[in-house]
């Protein structure tokens, strides 16, 4: 259980960032890992609570107290094995997960949760450095063939689990490389893409066949994929962005975040983005509309490109700096979150609605805003204009794209437009067709995508063979 009195003796200490003035000059990761000794001290703070709430806070149910204890005792290799028993890709979550586990840690009642995410990342990074993470090809092969459509974290987790269960797995991805939003949405400064390449190599060695540059339902009939395989899992994400229906939306210089961010990720990895016109923030006043992770990534990317100023607007009121623990713990609290990108020089404004985008010669010049009250009613007389040469819309995603694959397969959709399936069977309304990740649950998190990929793999294994040793 770590050190019995660890939480009384040792203060919380977490990874720090390299200085903002340095890190905005490049797109590489800038987290400074804790030393081995400091990481062991942090693991020693785990109290091994009778009921460890962190297990439930973590969507993949990582066995956090167990690997904290192993790290405290210096048994890193066993900690890596334990961590991989619940999470296929801890180096992804150890970098980009918002860590709901830490919100539900008992020590968070005193605002000093165990640094779970940092310890997770240290375990897996050490695992790779020491060669403990190797391909795990199956001992026996089945005669079943599975298609996975979509190479994001849900599709990768599902494919890896099914290949390890002995099935022949073909993963189809529209882009030139695997990773989904981890590859093309999340910037390199949050997670470098070599980490995905390393996992792809591991999965190839386990038997997964990757087919890139094929948009199922557009370049190739979805019905044919379903017919050619014993089961098909749809993991195409929730890619339809929420739009802003205001006058001036059509002006040049107004873009969805996911038109802007993938270009920069491709630039970093020297991947061609064809005939698309480059969208760049250099020398511009940038306004980001939307306050979540995507908005934050637009800020960090704009600053690195050399924006003159960056302003982020959020329609909701400013949340409190600290939550009321007695009403929120052990759940994820609503509170003000300041990302590394915010610290790099962006301004933020809350309770602001965009009324109009104003242009000059067909290009955006300013946006007209109004302040709103807690019921999102406009406050009369509070209108103001903001200078803007580039407006990035980061207001979330409404649903999966329906045109193409989903329409062709005719799978049933829920009221929000997501593909219907429960979390036991993951089965859609179409025969032999399963669904997981954002395409099923709507816009979510990498860790939830991994969970659904793993669980849907077990459901497919059961469907194909009548039994499964894959964990749920
Ligand atoms: C900018 C941004 C930043 C984010 N930051 C974070 C973060 O910091 N932490 C976090 O936890 N989550 C974050 N998220 C959310 C997270 O990335 C997603 O929840 C997660 O990637 C969903 O995984 P998925 O596998 O379901 O779908 P996706 O990652 O969207 O992958 C779907 C894949 O399917 C492919 N595809 C779709 N249709 C087809 C088709 N017909 N044929 C072939 N291929 C197809 C797509 O090209 C894509 O590669 C962020 C999202 C965005 C947009
Ligand atoms: S995956 Fe996320 S929630 Fe789970 S232990 Fe890691 S940081 Fe915490």
């Amino acid at each position: 259980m770590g050190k019995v009195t660890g939480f009384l003796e040792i203060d919380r200490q977490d990874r720090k960032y390299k200085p903002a003035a340095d890190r905005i000059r490049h797109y590489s990761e800038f987290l400074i890992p804790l030393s081995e000794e400091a990481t062991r001290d942090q693991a020693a703070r785990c109290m091994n609570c009778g009921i460890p709430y962190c297990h439930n806070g973590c969507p993949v149910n990582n066995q956090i107290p167990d690997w904290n204890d192993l790290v405290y005792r210096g048994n890193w290799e066993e900690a890596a094995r334990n961590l991989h028993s619940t999470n296929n890709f801890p180096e992804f979550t150890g970098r980009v997960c918002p860590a709901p586990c830490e919100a539900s840690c008992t020590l968070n009642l005193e605002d000093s949760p165990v640094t779970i995410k940092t310890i997770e990342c240290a375990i897996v990074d050490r695992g790779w450095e020491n060669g403990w993470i190797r391909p795990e090809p199956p001992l026996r092969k089945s005669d079943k063939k599975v298609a996975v459509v979509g190479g994001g974290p849900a599709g990768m987790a599902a494919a890896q689990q099914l290949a390890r269960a002995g099935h022949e797995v073909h993963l189809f991805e529209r882009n030139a490389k695997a990773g989904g939003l981890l590859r093309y949405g999340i910037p390199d400064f949050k997670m470098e893409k070599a980490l995905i390449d390393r996992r792809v190599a591991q999965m190839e060695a386990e038997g997964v066949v990757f087919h890139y540059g094929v948009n199922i339902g557009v370049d190739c009939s979805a019905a044919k994929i379903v017919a050619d395989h014993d089961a098909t899992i749809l993991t195409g994400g929730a890619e339809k962005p929420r739009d802003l229906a205001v006058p001036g939306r059509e002006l040049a210089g107004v873009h969805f975040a996911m038109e802007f961010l993938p270009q920069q990720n491709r630039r970093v990895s020297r991947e061609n983005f064809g005939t698309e016109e480059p969208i760049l923030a250099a020398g511009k006043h940038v306004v980001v509309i939307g306050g979540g992770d995507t908005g934050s990534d637009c800020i960090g990317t704009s600053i690195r490109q050399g924006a003159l100023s960056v302003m982020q607007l959020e329609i909701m009121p400013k949340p409190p700096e600290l939550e009321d623990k007695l009403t929120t713990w052990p759940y994820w609290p609503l509170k003000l979150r300041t990302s590394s990108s915010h610290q790099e020089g962006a301004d933020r404004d809350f309770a602001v609605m965009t009324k109009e985008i104003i242009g000059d010669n067909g290009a955006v010049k300013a946006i007209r805003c109004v302040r709103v009250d807690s019921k999102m009613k406009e406050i009369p007389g509070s209108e103001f204009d903001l200078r803007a040469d580039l407006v990035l819309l980061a207001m979330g995603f409404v649903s999966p794209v329906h045109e193409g694959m989903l329409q062709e397969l005719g799978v049933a959709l829920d009221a929000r437009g997501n593909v219907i399936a429960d979390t036991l069977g993951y089965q859609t309304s179409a025969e032999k067709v399963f669904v997981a990740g954002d395409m099923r649950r709507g816009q979510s998190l990498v860790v939830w995508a991994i969970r659904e990929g793993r669980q849907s793999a077990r459901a497919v294994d059961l469907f194909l063979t009548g039994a499964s040793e894959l964990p749920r």
Side-chain angles (χ1 to χ4, degrees):
M1 65 159 284
K3 190 176 182 193
V4 180
T5 50
F7 72 100
L8 294 170
E9 294 166 23
I10 304 162
D11 287 337
R12 176 181 157 100
Q13 187 193 348
D14 209 349
R15 290 174 288 188
K16 296 215 167 17
Y17 302 139
K18 290 185 183 157
D22 293 343
R23 66 185 192 242
I24 61 168
R25 294 167 199 273
H26 58 75
Y27 290 89
S28 305
E29 289 180 7
F30 50 77
L31 268 173
I32 307 169
L34 294 182
S35 68
E36 177 176 357
E37 194 191 348
T39 311
R40 284 173 69 168
D41 279 352
Q42 290 305 303
R45 295 184 67 241
C46 180
M47 300 191 293
N48 195 11
C49 311
I51 299 172
Y53 288 92
C54 55
H55 277 200
N56 283 335
C58 170
V60 289
N61 305 122
N62 275 341
Q63 304 175 111
I64 296 159
D66 298 33
W67 40 256
N68 277 334
D69 184 57
L70 289 162
V71 167
Y72 169 59
R73 292 175 200 289
N75 194 348
W76 290 86
E77 187 168 359
E78 184 56 18
R81 198 204 55 74
N82 186 311
L83 178 55
H84 280 89
S85 72
T86 53
N87 187 351
N88 295 61
F89 314 123
E91 67 276 37
F92 302 168
T93 47
R95 286 171 171 78
V96 303
C97 187
C101 54
E102 293 186 20
S104 56
C105 174
T106 306
L107 287 175
N108 188 35
L109 284 167
E110 299 214 329
D111 290 315
S112 61
V114 174
T115 49
I116 299 169
K117 175 176 165 182
T118 290
I119 297 168
E120 175 178 47
C121 203
I123 295 170
V124 63
D125 286 354
R126 190 169 286 261
W128 280 108
E129 277 160 28
N130 286 287
W132 301 327
I133 303 168
R134 289 181 288 265
E136 297 173 30
L139 295 177
R140 280 182 303 278
K141 288 280 211 179
S142 78
D143 58 352
K144 306 292 183 193
K145 204 171 149 186
V146 182
V148 177
V149 184
M156 285 179 66
Q160 183 164 59
Q161 293 294 93
L162 285 163
R164 288 177 176 178
H167 305 302
E168 180 182 329
V169 181
H170 293 264
L171 188 149
F172 298 89
E173 168 54 52
R174 187 186 55 210
N175 284 308
K177 294 182 184 175
L181 291 173
L182 275 170
R183 166 92 58 186
Y184 294 104
I186 295 176
D188 288 71
F189 55 79
K190 267 169 61 180
M191 199 190 100
E192 290 175 10
K193 309 312 168 198
L195 302 181
I196 309 173
D197 299 338
R198 193 167 60 180
R199 281 294 177 185
V200 167
Q202 182 196 36
M203 290 169 62
E204 285 174 337
E206 291 167 349
V208 178
V209 183
F210 287 82
H211 305 263
Y212 296 117
V214 51
N215 190 352
I216 304 300
V218 176
D219 307 327
C220 162
S221 144
K224 179 165 167 35
I225 295 288
V226 174
D228 288 351
H229 296 82
D230 297 298
T232 298
I233 312 184
L234 311 179
T235 52
E239 298 184 311
K240 190 170 172 197
R242 183 168 288 114
D243 208 344
L244 184 67
V246 297
R249 166 64 182 88
E250 73 293 345
L251 290 166
V254 183
H255 300 278
F256 286 121
M258 279 304 290
E259 291 170 333
F260 172 66
L261 294 170
Q263 284 195 357
Q264 185 54 48
N265 288 12
R266 288 192 167 101
R267 250 179 234 116
V268 172
S269 62
R270 299 177 199 282
E271 193 188 311
N272 189 353
F273 53 90
T275 53
E276 269 178 47
E277 196 178 319
I279 306 167
L280 289 162
K284 292 181 183 160
H285 295 282
V286 180
V287 174
V288 177
I289 302 180
D293 274 338
T294 308
S296 210
D297 294 345
C298 289
I299 293 174
T301 303
S302 299
I303 289 174
R304 278 164 184 71
Q305 289 186 353
L308 292 178
S309 69
V310 185
M311 167 62 92
Q312 184 180 36
L313 300 179
E314 168 58 52
I315 197 168
M316 302 301 287
K318 187 174 181 179
E321 303 263 345
L322 270 185
E323 70 273 28
D324 173 4
K325 290 283 192 279
L326 293 181
T327 55
T328 59
W329 185 87
Y331 300 109
W332 183 247
L334 176 70
K335 67 175 184 181
L336 185 69
R337 292 178 197 275
T338 300
S339 71
S340 57
S341 293
H342 291 127
Q343 294 167 346
E344 289 166 2
D347 290 319
R348 284 193 272 182
D349 205 346
F350 294 86
V352 171
M353 184 191 280
T354 308
K355 294 280 287 176
E356 186 183 347
I357 305 176
I358 301 162
D360 183 17
N361 274 333
V364 55
K365 273 284 144 237
I367 64 168
R368 181 148 300 156
C369 309
V370 63
R371 298 203 176 272
V372 292
D373 63 19
S374 56
K375 295 193 176 107
M376 285 208 246
K377 285 242 166 61
E378 292 181 24
I379 300 173
S382 67
E383 292 82 3
F384 64 99
D385 287 357
L386 273 177
R387 182 157 176 204
D389 310 305
L390 176 64
V391 175
L392 298 170
L393 306 177
M395 299 168 299
F397 298 82
V398 287
S399 72
V401 172
H402 297 149
E403 297 76 18
M405 177 171 75
L406 298 185
Q407 278 179 357
E408 186 192 335
L409 294 175
V411 288
L413 306 174
D414 66 17
R416 293 183 302 153
N418 299 321
V419 179
I420 296 180
D422 65 34
T423 53
L424 272 180
Y426 285 90
Q427 195 146 11
T428 70
S429 60
E431 206 186 330
K432 299 199 293 175
V433 181
F434 298 76
V435 64
D438 281 8
M439 189 160 250
R440 191 198 72 81
R441 61 185 295 116
Q443 178 197 6
S444 185
L445 295 173
V446 169
V447 65
W448 279 104
I450 296 172
R451 170 195 170 113
E452 296 217 347
R454 291 171 63 84
Q455 293 193 339
S456 63
R458 180 183 157 86
V460 167
D461 195 27
L462 265 172
F463 168 79
L464 294 175
T465 64
S468 181
E469 288 178 7
L470 291 176
R472 242 190 81 75

